Amino acid sequence: MTATSAVLAFPPFSAQQSEALLRDKLAHYADAWDTAQDLANGIVAIGVIDTRSVEQYRAGHICGAVSFPHRMMTAETLAALDREKVYVTYCDGIGCNGSTKGALKLAAAGYRVKELIGGLDFWLRDHHPVAQGDAPGEWPSQSTKEGCGC
């Protein structure tokens, strides 16, 4: 009896099609490691937005992230953002779509945006620094270098 491949039951795209798809995917998403590296290196071209509630933000958020709950995003409230930045939105994790709703509102208002893969859940899993309270917090001078290192 010859085994049938579950992986190959649906043939893959051509290499060129795969390259285009994967570039598109990377254009839409950022991961915790890349975002942490940019924050640690003081890259000002990105801004990180926590789309969860203010209460959740206060309990713990990515160092340097600003609180901007997706439910409070309107054309008027978004107007205060810097149009030169690329914004990375996040929420609790893969079971939450707050970052998608926030990213959609930002994109619809003309801002460039990416979503953070895995949200705060993956951020914490990779041992990146968090802050508490109302302020974005400062990136620590000595942050942990654990995580995937991709």
Side-chain angles (χ1 to χ4, degrees), residues 100-137:
T100 304
K101 290 176 180 178
L104 174 61
K105 289 179 180 182
L106 284 159
Y111 293 92
R112 295 176 301 151
V113 64
K114 292 186 175 200
E115 278 188 271
L116 183 66
I117 297 170
L120 189 61
D121 180 37
F122 283 20
W123 184 267
L124 294 170
R125 184 189 70 181
D126 287 348
H127 308 286
H128 297 301
V130 293
Q132 293 179 324
D134 291 320

Side-chain angles (χ1 to χ4, degrees), residues 57-127:
Y57 177 85
R58 284 182 186 135
H61 58 270
I62 292 173
C63 284
V66 296
S67 177
F68 203 153
H70 69 86
R71 288 182 173 89
M72 298 174 68
M73 292 181 181
T74 65
E76 294 78 25
T77 60
L78 291 170
L81 296 177
D82 182 348
R83 290 201 173 270
E84 298 302 312
K85 289 189 177 201
V86 172
Y87 290 97
V88 177
T89 61
Y90 77 92
C91 55
D92 283 330
I94 61 172
C96 176
N97 66 4
S99 63
T100 304
K101 290 176 180 178
L104 174 61
K105 289 179 180 182
L106 284 159
Y111 293 92
R112 295 176 301 151
V113 64
K114 292 186 175 200
E115 278 188 271
L116 183 66
I117 297 170
L120 189 61
D121 180 37
F122 283 20
W123 184 267
L124 294 170
R125 184 189 70 181
D126 287 348
H127 308 286

